Coordinates of all heavy atoms in Angstrom, one line a residue:
M1 N 8.4 -16.6 -7.7 CA 9.1 -16.1 -6.5 C 9.6 -14.7 -6.8 O 10.1 -14.4 -7.8 CB 10.2 -17.0 -6.1 CG 10.8 -16.8 -4.8 SD 12.0 -18.1 -4.4 CE 13.4 -17.1 -4.0
A2 N 9.5 -13.8 -5.8 CA 9.9 -12.4 -5.9 C 11.4 -12.3 -6.1 O 12.1 -13.0 -5.4 CB 9.4 -11.6 -4.8
D3 N 11.8 -11.5 -6.9 CA 13.2 -11.2 -7.1 C 13.7 -10.3 -5.9 O 13.2 -9.2 -5.7 CB 13.4 -10.5 -8.4 CG 14.9 -10.1 -8.6 OD1 15.7 -10.3 -7.7 OD2 15.2 -9.6 -9.7
R4 N 14.7 -10.8 -5.1 CA 15.1 -10.0 -3.9 C 15.8 -8.7 -4.3 O 15.9 -7.9 -3.5 CB 16.0 -10.9 -3.0 CG 17.1 -11.6 -3.7 CD 17.7 -12.6 -2.8 NE 19.1 -12.4 -2.7 CZ 19.7 -12.0 -1.5 NH1 19.0 -11.9 -0.5 NH2 21.0 -11.8 -1.5
W5 N 16.2 -8.6 -5.6 CA 16.8 -7.3 -6.0 C 15.7 -6.4 -6.6 O 16.0 -5.3 -7.0 CB 17.8 -7.6 -7.1 CG 19.0 -8.4 -6.5 CD1 19.3 -9.7 -6.7 CD2 20.0 -7.9 -5.6 NE1 20.3 -10.1 -6.0 CE2 20.8 -9.0 -5.4 CE3 20.2 -6.7 -5.0 CZ2 21.9 -8.9 -4.5 CZ3 21.3 -6.5 -4.2 CH2 22.1 -7.6 -3.9
E6 N 14.5 -6.8 -6.5 CA 13.4 -6.0 -7.0 C 13.2 -4.8 -6.1 O 13.4 -4.9 -4.9 CB 12.1 -6.9 -6.9 CG 10.9 -6.4 -7.6 CD 9.7 -7.4 -7.4 OE1 10.0 -8.6 -7.5 OE2 8.6 -6.9 -7.2
K7 N 12.7 -3.7 -6.7 CA 12.5 -2.5 -5.9 C 11.2 -2.6 -5.2 O 10.2 -3.2 -5.6 CB 12.3 -1.3 -6.9 CG 13.5 -1.0 -7.8 CD 13.2 0.1 -8.8 CE 14.2 0.2 -9.8 NZ 13.8 1.2 -10.8
F8 N 11.2 -2.0 -4.0 CA 9.9 -2.0 -3.2 C 8.9 -1.0 -4.0 O 9.3 0.0 -4.5 CB 10.1 -1.4 -1.8 CG 10.7 -2.4 -0.9 CD1 12.0 -2.2 -0.4 CD2 10.1 -3.6 -0.5 CE1 12.6 -3.1 0.5 CE2 10.6 -4.5 0.3 CZ 11.9 -4.3 0.8
S9 N 7.7 -1.4 -4.0 CA 6.7 -0.6 -4.7 C 6.5 0.8 -4.1 O 6.0 1.7 -4.8 CB 5.4 -1.4 -4.7 OG 4.9 -1.6 -3.4
E10 N 6.8 0.9 -2.8 CA 6.7 2.3 -2.2 C 7.6 3.3 -2.7 O 7.4 4.5 -2.5 CB 6.8 2.2 -0.7 CG 5.9 1.2 0.0 CD 6.5 -0.1 0.3 OE1 7.2 -0.6 -0.6 OE2 6.3 -0.6 1.4
N11 N 8.8 2.9 -3.3 CA 9.7 3.9 -3.8 C 9.1 4.9 -4.7 O 8.3 4.5 -5.6 CB 10.9 3.2 -4.6 CG 11.8 2.4 -3.7 OD1 12.4 2.9 -2.8 ND2 11.8 1.1 -4.0
T12 N 9.3 6.1 -4.5 CA 8.8 7.1 -5.4 C 9.6 7.0 -6.7 O 10.8 6.6 -6.7 CB 8.9 8.5 -4.8 OG1 8.2 9.4 -5.6 CG2 10.4 9.0 -4.7
K13 N 9.0 7.5 -7.8 CA 9.7 7.4 -9.1 C 11.0 8.2 -9.0 O 11.1 9.3 -8.4 CB 8.7 8.1 -10.1 CG 9.2 8.0 -11.5 CD 8.1 8.6 -12.4 CE 8.7 8.8 -13.8 NZ 7.7 9.5 -14.6
G14 N 12.0 7.7 -9.7 CA 13.3 8.5 -9.7 C 14.5 7.6 -9.6 O 14.4 6.4 -9.6
R15 N 15.6 8.3 -9.5 CA 16.9 7.5 -9.6 C 17.3 6.7 -8.4 O 17.9 5.7 -8.6 CB 18.0 8.5 -10.0 CG 18.3 9.6 -9.0 CD 19.4 10.5 -9.7 NE 19.7 11.6 -8.8 CZ 19.0 12.7 -8.7 NH1 17.8 12.8 -9.4 NH2 19.3 13.7 -7.9
Y16 N 17.0 7.1 -7.2 CA 17.3 6.3 -6.0 C 16.1 5.4 -5.7 O 15.0 5.8 -5.8 CB 17.6 7.2 -4.8 CG 19.0 7.9 -4.9 CD1 19.1 9.1 -5.4 CD2 20.1 7.2 -4.5 CE1 20.4 9.7 -5.5 CE2 21.4 7.7 -4.6 CZ 21.5 9.0 -5.1 OH 22.7 9.6 -5.2
Y17 N 16.4 4.2 -5.2 CA 15.4 3.2 -4.9 C 16.0 2.2 -3.9 O 17.2 2.1 -3.8 CB 14.9 2.5 -6.1 CG 15.9 1.9 -6.9 CD1 16.4 0.6 -6.7 CD2 16.5 2.6 -8.0 CE1 17.3 0.0 -7.4 CE2 17.5 2.0 -8.8 CZ 17.9 0.7 -8.5 OH 18.9 0.1 -9.3
V18 N 15.1 1.6 -3.1 CA 15.5 0.5 -2.2 C 15.0 -0.8 -2.7 O 13.8 -0.9 -3.2 CB 15.0 0.8 -0.8 CG1 15.3 -0.3 0.2 CG2 15.6 2.1 -0.2
T19 N 15.8 -1.8 -2.6 CA 15.4 -3.2 -3.1 C 15.1 -4.1 -2.0 O 15.4 -3.8 -0.8 CB 16.5 -3.8 -4.0 OG1 17.7 -4.0 -3.2 CG2 16.9 -2.9 -5.2
K20 N 14.6 -5.3 -2.3 CA 14.1 -6.2 -1.3 C 15.2 -6.9 -0.5 O 14.9 -7.7 0.4 CB 13.2 -7.2 -1.9 CG 11.9 -6.5 -2.4 CD 10.9 -7.4 -2.9 CE 9.6 -6.6 -3.3 NZ 8.6 -7.5 -3.9
V21 N 16.5 -6.6 -0.7 CA 17.6 -7.1 0.1 C 17.7 -6.3 1.4 O 18.5 -6.6 2.3 CB 18.9 -7.2 -0.6 CG1 18.8 -8.2 -1.7 CG2 19.4 -5.9 -1.1
C22 N 16.9 -5.2 1.5 CA 17.0 -4.3 2.7 C 16.7 -5.1 3.9 O 15.8 -6.0 4.0 CB 15.9 -3.2 2.6 SG 15.6 -2.3 4.0
I23 N 17.5 -4.9 5.0 CA 17.3 -5.6 6.3 C 16.6 -4.8 7.3 O 16.5 -5.2 8.5 CB 18.7 -6.2 6.8 CG1 19.6 -5.0 7.0 CG2 19.2 -7.2 5.9 CD1 20.9 -5.4 7.7
G24 N 16.2 -3.6 6.9 CA 15.4 -2.8 7.8 C 16.2 -2.1 9.0 O 15.6 -1.9 10.0
C25 N 17.4 -1.9 8.8 CA 18.3 -1.3 9.9 C 18.0 0.2 10.1 O 18.3 0.7 11.1 CB 19.7 -1.5 9.6 SG 20.4 -0.4 8.2
T26 N 17.3 0.8 9.1 CA 16.9 2.3 9.2 C 18.1 3.3 9.1 O 17.9 4.5 9.3 CB 16.0 2.6 10.4 OG1 16.8 2.6 11.6 CG2 14.9 1.6 10.5
L27 N 19.3 2.8 8.9 CA 20.4 3.7 8.8 C 20.2 4.8 7.7 O 20.5 6.0 7.9 CB 21.7 2.9 8.5 CG 23.0 3.7 8.4 CD1 23.3 4.5 9.7 CD2 24.2 2.8 8.0
C28 N 19.7 4.4 6.6 CA 19.5 5.4 5.5 C 18.5 6.5 5.9 O 18.7 7.6 5.5 CB 19.0 4.7 4.2 SG 17.5 3.7 4.5
S29 N 17.5 6.2 6.7 CA 16.6 7.2 7.1 C 17.2 8.1 8.2 O 16.7 9.2 8.4 CB 15.3 6.6 7.7 OG 15.6 5.8 8.8
V30 N 18.3 7.7 8.8 CA 19.0 8.5 9.8 C 20.0 9.4 9.0 O 20.0 10.6 9.2 CB 19.8 7.7 10.8 CG1 20.7 8.5 11.6 CG2 18.8 6.8 11.6
I31 N 20.6 8.9 8.0 CA 21.6 9.7 7.2 C 20.9 10.7 6.3 O 21.3 11.8 6.2 CB 22.5 8.7 6.3 CG1 23.3 7.9 7.3 CG2 23.3 9.5 5.3 CD1 24.1 6.8 6.5
A32 N 19.8 10.2 5.6 CA 19.1 11.1 4.6 C 17.6 11.1 4.9 O 16.8 10.5 4.1 CB 19.4 10.6 3.2
P33 N 17.2 11.7 6.0 CA 15.7 11.6 6.3 C 14.8 12.3 5.4 O 13.6 12.1 5.4 CB 15.7 12.3 7.7 CG 16.9 13.1 7.8 CD 18.0 12.4 7.0
S34 N 15.4 13.2 4.5 CA 14.6 13.9 3.5 C 14.2 13.0 2.3 O 13.4 13.4 1.5 CB 15.3 15.2 3.1 OG 16.5 14.8 2.4
S35 N 14.8 11.8 2.3 CA 14.6 11.0 1.1 C 14.1 9.5 1.5 O 13.4 8.9 0.8 CB 15.8 10.9 0.2 OG 16.0 12.1 -0.4
F36 N 14.6 9.1 2.7 CA 14.3 7.7 3.1 C 13.5 7.7 4.3 O 13.7 8.5 5.2 CB 15.6 6.9 3.4 CG 16.5 6.7 2.2 CD1 17.4 7.7 1.8 CD2 16.5 5.6 1.4 CE1 18.3 7.6 0.7 CE2 17.3 5.4 0.3 CZ 18.2 6.4 0.0
R37 N 12.6 6.7 4.3 CA 11.8 6.5 5.6 C 11.5 5.0 5.7 O 11.5 4.3 4.7 CB 10.5 7.4 5.6 CG 9.4 7.0 4.6 CD 8.1 7.6 4.9 NE 8.0 9.0 5.0 CZ 7.2 9.8 4.4 NH1 6.2 9.2 3.6 NH2 7.2 11.1 4.5
E38 N 11.1 4.7 6.9 CA 10.8 3.3 7.2 C 9.3 3.0 6.9 O 8.4 3.8 7.2 CB 11.1 3.0 8.7 CG 10.9 1.5 9.0 CD 11.3 1.2 10.5 OE1 11.4 2.2 11.3 OE2 11.4 0.1 10.8
N39 N 9.1 1.8 6.4 CA 7.7 1.3 6.2 C 7.4 0.6 7.5 O 8.0 -0.4 7.9 CB 7.6 0.4 5.1 CG 6.2 -0.1 4.8 OD1 5.4 -0.3 5.8 ND2 5.8 -0.3 3.6
T40 N 6.4 1.1 8.2 CA 6.0 0.5 9.5 C 4.8 -0.3 9.4 O 4.1 -0.6 10.4 CB 5.9 1.6 10.6 OG1 4.9 2.6 10.1 CG2 7.2 2.3 10.9
D41 N 4.4 -0.7 8.2 CA 3.3 -1.6 8.0 C 3.5 -2.9 8.7 O 4.3 -3.7 8.4 CB 3.1 -1.8 6.5 CG 1.9 -2.7 6.2 OD1 1.3 -3.2 7.1 OD2 1.5 -2.8 5.0
M42 N 2.7 -3.1 9.7 CA 2.9 -4.3 10.6 C 2.5 -5.6 9.9 O 2.7 -6.7 10.5 CB 2.2 -4.1 11.9 CG 2.7 -2.9 12.7 SD 4.5 -2.9 12.8 CE 4.8 -4.2 14.0
E43 N 1.9 -5.5 8.8 CA 1.5 -6.8 8.1 C 2.8 -7.4 7.5 O 2.8 -8.6 7.2 CB 0.6 -6.5 6.9 CG -0.8 -6.2 7.4 CD -1.8 -6.0 6.3 OE1 -1.5 -6.5 5.1 OE2 -2.9 -5.4 6.5
L44 N 3.8 -6.6 7.4 CA 5.1 -7.2 6.8 C 5.9 -7.8 8.0 O 5.9 -7.2 9.1 CB 5.9 -6.1 6.2 CG 5.2 -5.4 4.9 CD1 6.0 -4.2 4.5 CD2 5.2 -6.4 3.8
S45 N 6.5 -8.9 7.8 CA 7.2 -9.6 8.9 C 8.5 -8.8 9.2 O 8.9 -8.8 10.4 CB 7.6 -11.0 8.5 OG 8.3 -11.0 7.3
V46 N 9.1 -8.2 8.3 CA 10.3 -7.4 8.5 C 10.1 -6.0 7.9 O 9.7 -5.8 6.8 CB 11.5 -8.0 7.9 CG1 12.8 -7.2 8.1 CG2 11.7 -9.5 8.4
G47 N 10.4 -5.0 8.8 CA 10.3 -3.6 8.3 C 11.4 -3.3 7.2 O 12.4 -4.0 7.1
H48 N 11.2 -2.3 6.4 CA 12.2 -1.9 5.5 C 12.0 -0.4 5.2 O 11.0 0.2 5.5 CB 12.0 -2.7 4.2 CG 10.7 -2.4 3.4 ND1 9.6 -3.2 3.6 CD2 10.4 -1.5 2.5 CE1 8.6 -2.7 2.9 NE2 9.1 -1.7 2.2
C49 N 13.0 0.1 4.6 CA 13.0 1.5 4.2 C 12.7 1.6 2.7 O 12.9 0.7 2.0 CB 14.3 2.2 4.6 SG 14.3 2.6 6.4
Y50 N 12.3 2.8 2.3 CA 12.1 3.1 0.9 C 12.3 4.6 0.6 O 12.4 5.4 1.6 CB 10.7 2.7 0.5 CG 9.6 3.4 1.2 CD1 9.0 4.5 0.6 CD2 9.2 3.1 2.5 CE1 8.0 5.2 1.2 CE2 8.2 3.8 3.1 CZ 7.6 4.9 2.5 OH 6.6 5.6 3.2
V51 N 12.4 4.9 -0.6 CA 12.7 6.3 -1.0 C 11.3 7.0 -1.2 O 10.5 6.5 -2.1 CB 13.5 6.4 -2.3 CG1 13.6 7.9 -2.7 CG2 14.9 5.8 -2.1
Y52 N 11.0 7.9 -0.4 CA 9.7 8.6 -0.5 C 9.8 9.9 -1.2 O 8.8 10.5 -1.7 CB 9.0 8.8 0.9 CG 9.7 9.9 1.7 CD1 9.3 11.2 1.7 CD2 10.8 9.5 2.6 CE1 9.9 12.1 2.5 CE2 11.4 10.5 3.4 CZ 10.9 11.8 3.4 OH 11.5 12.7 4.1
R53 N 11.1 10.4 -1.4 CA 11.3 11.7 -2.1 C 12.7 11.7 -2.6 O 13.7 11.4 -1.9 CB 11.1 12.8 -1.0 CG 11.3 14.2 -1.6 CD 11.0 15.2 -0.5 NE 11.5 16.5 -0.8 CZ 12.8 16.9 -0.6 NH1 13.7 16.1 0.0 NH2 13.2 18.1 -1.0
Q54 N 12.8 12.0 -3.9 CA 14.2 12.1 -4.5 C 14.9 13.3 -4.1 O 14.2 14.4 -3.8 CB 14.0 12.0 -6.0 CG 13.4 10.7 -6.6 CD 14.3 9.5 -6.4 OE1 15.5 9.7 -6.2 NE2 13.7 8.3 -6.4
P55 N 16.2 13.3 -4.1 CA 17.0 14.5 -3.7 C 16.7 15.6 -4.7 O 16.6 15.4 -5.9 CB 18.4 14.0 -3.7 CG 18.4 12.9 -4.6 CD 17.1 12.2 -4.4
E56 N 16.7 16.9 -4.1 CA 16.3 18.0 -5.0 C 17.4 19.1 -5.0 O 17.3 20.1 -5.6 CB 15.0 18.6 -4.5 CG 13.8 17.7 -4.7 CD 12.5 18.3 -4.3 OE1 12.5 19.4 -3.8 OE2 11.5 17.6 -4.5
N57 N 18.5 18.8 -4.3 CA 19.6 19.8 -4.3 C 20.9 19.0 -4.0 O 20.9 17.8 -3.7 CB 19.4 20.9 -3.3 CG 19.2 20.4 -1.9 OD1 20.0 19.6 -1.4 ND2 18.1 20.9 -1.3
E58 N 22.0 19.7 -4.1 CA 23.3 19.0 -3.9 C 23.5 18.4 -2.5 O 24.1 17.3 -2.4 CB 24.4 20.1 -4.1 CG 24.4 20.7 -5.5 CD 25.5 20.1 -6.4 OE1 26.5 19.6 -5.9 OE2 25.2 20.1 -7.6
T59 N 23.0 19.1 -1.5 CA 23.1 18.6 -0.2 C 22.4 17.3 0.0 O 22.9 16.3 0.5 CB 22.6 19.6 0.9 OG1 23.4 20.8 0.7 CG2 22.8 19.1 2.3
E60 N 21.1 17.3 -0.5 CA 20.3 16.0 -0.4 C 20.9 14.9 -1.3 O 20.9 13.8 -0.9 CB 18.9 16.3 -0.8 CG 18.2 17.2 0.2 CD 16.8 17.6 -0.3 OE1 16.3 17.3 -1.4 OE2 16.1 18.3 0.5
E61 N 21.4 15.3 -2.4 CA 22.1 14.3 -3.3 C 23.3 13.6 -2.5 O 23.4 12.4 -2.6 CB 22.5 15.0 -4.6 CG 23.3 14.1 -5.5 CD 22.4 13.1 -6.2 OE1 21.3 13.4 -6.5 OE2 22.9 11.9 -6.5
A62 N 24.1 14.5 -1.9 CA 25.2 14.0 -1.2 C 24.8 13.0 0.0 O 25.4 12.0 0.2 CB 26.1 15.1 -0.6
L63 N 23.7 13.4 0.6 CA 23.2 12.5 1.7 C 22.7 11.2 1.2 O 22.9 10.1 1.8 CB 22.1 13.2 2.5 CG 22.6 14.4 3.4 CD1 21.5 15.2 4.0 CD2 23.6 13.9 4.4
C64 N 22.0 11.2 0.0 CA 21.5 10.0 -0.6 C 22.7 9.1 -1.0 O 22.7 7.9 -0.8 CB 20.6 10.3 -1.8 SG 19.0 10.8 -1.3
R65 N 23.7 9.7 -1.5 CA 24.9 9.0 -1.9 C 25.5 8.3 -0.7 O 26.0 7.2 -0.7 CB 25.9 9.9 -2.7 CG 26.3 9.3 -4.0 CD 27.3 10.1 -4.7 NE 27.6 11.5 -4.3 CZ 27.1 12.6 -4.8 NH1 26.3 12.6 -5.8 NH2 27.4 13.8 -4.3
E66 N 25.6 9.1 0.4 CA 26.2 8.6 1.6 C 25.4 7.4 2.1 O 25.9 6.4 2.6 CB 26.3 9.7 2.7 CG 27.0 9.2 4.0 CD 27.0 10.3 5.0 OE1 26.9 11.5 4.7 OE2 27.2 10.0 6.2
A67 N 24.1 7.6 2.1 CA 23.2 6.5 2.6 C 23.4 5.2 1.7 O 23.5 4.1 2.2 CB 21.7 6.9 2.5
M68 N 23.5 5.4 0.4 CA 23.7 4.3 -0.5 C 25.1 3.6 -0.2 O 25.2 2.4 -0.1 CB 23.7 4.8 -2.0 CG 23.8 3.6 -3.0 SD 23.5 4.2 -4.6 CE 24.9 5.2 -4.9
D69 N 26.1 4.4 0.0 CA 27.4 3.9 0.3 C 27.5 3.2 1.7 O 28.3 2.3 1.9 CB 28.5 5.0 0.2 CG 28.7 5.5 -1.2 OD1 28.2 4.8 -2.2 OD2 29.2 6.6 -1.4
S70 N 26.7 3.6 2.6 CA 26.7 3.1 4.0 C 25.8 1.9 4.2 O 25.9 1.3 5.2 CB 26.3 4.2 4.9 OG 27.1 5.4 4.8
C71 N 24.9 1.7 3.3 CA 23.9 0.6 3.5 C 24.6 -0.7 3.7 O 25.3 -1.2 2.8 CB 22.9 0.5 2.3 SG 21.8 -0.8 2.4
P72 N 24.4 -1.4 4.8 CA 25.1 -2.6 5.1 C 24.6 -3.8 4.2 O 25.4 -4.8 4.1 CB 24.8 -2.9 6.6 CG 23.5 -2.2 6.8 CD 23.5 -1.0 5.9
A73 N 23.5 -3.7 3.6 CA 23.0 -4.7 2.7 C 23.2 -4.5 1.2 O 22.8 -5.3 0.4 CB 21.5 -4.9 3.0
G74 N 23.7 -3.3 0.9 CA 23.8 -2.9 -0.5 C 22.5 -2.9 -1.2 O 22.3 -3.2 -2.4
A75 N 21.5 -2.4 -0.4 CA 20.1 -2.5 -0.9 C 19.6 -1.3 -1.7 O 18.6 -1.3 -2.3 CB 19.1 -2.7 0.3
I76 N 20.4 -0.2 -1.6 CA 20.0 1.1 -2.3 C 20.6 1.1 -3.7 O 21.8 0.9 -3.8 CB 20.5 2.3 -1.4 CG1 19.8 2.2 0.0 CG2 20.1 3.6 -2.1 CD1 20.3 3.2 1.0
G77 N 19.8 1.4 -4.6 CA 20.3 1.6 -6.0 C 20.1 3.0 -6.5 O 19.4 3.8 -5.9
N78 N 20.9 3.3 -7.6 CA 20.8 4.6 -8.2 C 20.9 4.2 -9.7 O 21.9 3.7 -10.2 CB 22.0 5.4 -7.8 CG 22.0 6.8 -8.5 OD1 21.5 6.9 -9.6 ND2 22.6 7.7 -7.8
N79 N 19.9 4.6 -10.5 CA 19.9 4.2 -11.9 C 20.8 5.1 -12.7 O 20.8 4.9 -13.9 CB 18.4 4.1 -12.4 CG 17.8 5.5 -12.5 OD1 18.4 6.5 -12.4 ND2 16.5 5.5 -12.7
G80 N 21.4 6.1 -12.1 CA 22.4 6.9 -12.8 C 21.9 8.1 -13.6 O 22.6 8.9 -14.0
S81 N 20.6 8.2 -13.6 CA 20.0 9.3 -14.4 C 20.3 10.6 -13.6 O 20.3 10.6 -12.4 CB 18.5 9.2 -14.6 OG 17.8 9.2 -13.4
R82 N 20.4 11.7 -14.3 CA 20.6 13.0 -13.6 C 19.3 13.7 -13.2 O 19.3 14.6 -12.4 CB 21.4 13.9 -14.5 CG 22.8 13.5 -14.7 CD 23.7 14.6 -15.2 NE 25.1 14.2 -15.2 CZ 25.9 14.3 -14.2 NH1 25.4 14.8 -13.1 NH2 27.1 13.9 -14.3
N83 N 18.2 13.3 -13.8 CA 16.9 13.9 -13.4 C 16.1 12.8 -12.7 O 16.6 11.7 -12.5 CB 16.2 14.4 -14.6 CG 16.0 13.4 -15.7 OD1 16.0 12.2 -15.4 ND2 15.9 13.8 -16.9
N84 N 14.9 13.1 -12.4 CA 14.1 12.1 -11.6 C 13.2 11.3 -12.5 O 12.0 11.2 -12.3 CB 13.3 12.9 -10.6 CG 14.2 13.3 -9.4 OD1 15.1 12.6 -9.1 ND2 13.8 14.3 -8.7
Q85 N 13.8 10.8 -13.6 CA 13.0 9.9 -14.4 C 13.0 8.5 -13.9 O 13.9 8.0 -13.3 CB 13.6 9.9 -15.9 CG 13.5 11.3 -16.5 CD 12.1 11.9 -16.5 OE1 11.2 11.2 -17.1 NE2 11.9 13.0 -15.9
Ligands
LIG101 S1 20.5 1.3 5.2 FE1 20.0 -0.3 3.6 S2 19.5 -2.1 4.8 FE2 19.3 -0.3 6.2 S3 17.2 0.3 6.1 FE3 18.3 1.5 4.6 S4 18.1 0.4 2.6 FE4 17.6 -1.0 4.3

């Protein structure tokens, strides 16, 4: 059985990621559209968002942090690294 805390495979490599507890509300893609987007693959029963681009400056970093803090499902993680490893 899949771990619900597992990261979605669509996440781009790097410190921010979305896990399978995402409820697909799309709030993160509204707050930080330069990093989060919705997966609209209709084969999935429930849509979800993922990180398609890591933040590249202070403004984008702040928006990603805000998205993480605002996520109602606590689905956004940050591995704490300072670079995009
Ligand atoms: S804000 Fe959280 S629950 Fe909503 S789409 Fe983004 S990751 Fe998923």
Side-chain angles (χ1 to χ4, degrees):
M1 192 171 126
D3 179 353
R4 47 193 238 114
W5 296 105
E6 190 180 320
K7 301 174 191 177
F8 284 116
S9 58
E10 301 100 315
N11 289 298
T12 191
K13 185 177 168 188
R15 61 187 179 279
Y16 284 96
Y17 54 86
V18 176
T19 64
K20 293 184 177 176
V21 294
C22 171
I23 57 173
C25 72
T26 72
L27 180 60
C28 55
S29 65
V30 173
I31 294 172
S34 60
S35 292
F36 295 85
R37 71 164 57 129
E38 184 179 15
N39 182 326
T40 54
D41 183 347
M42 297 313 284
E43 287 184 18
L44 298 169
S45 56
V46 179
H48 65 268
C49 284
Y50 63 98
V51 177
Y52 71 93
R53 181 175 163 275
Q54 296 292 338
E56 295 181 356
N57 56 52
E58 300 261 330
T59 302
E60 291 176 356
E61 177 72 35
L63 291 174
C64 283
R65 230 179 354 254
E66 183 181 342
M68 184 170 71
D69 292 344
S70 303
C71 174
I76 300 172
N78 177 336
N79 69 14
S81 66
R82 291 199 171 272
N83 55 27
N84 283 333
Q85 297 304 304

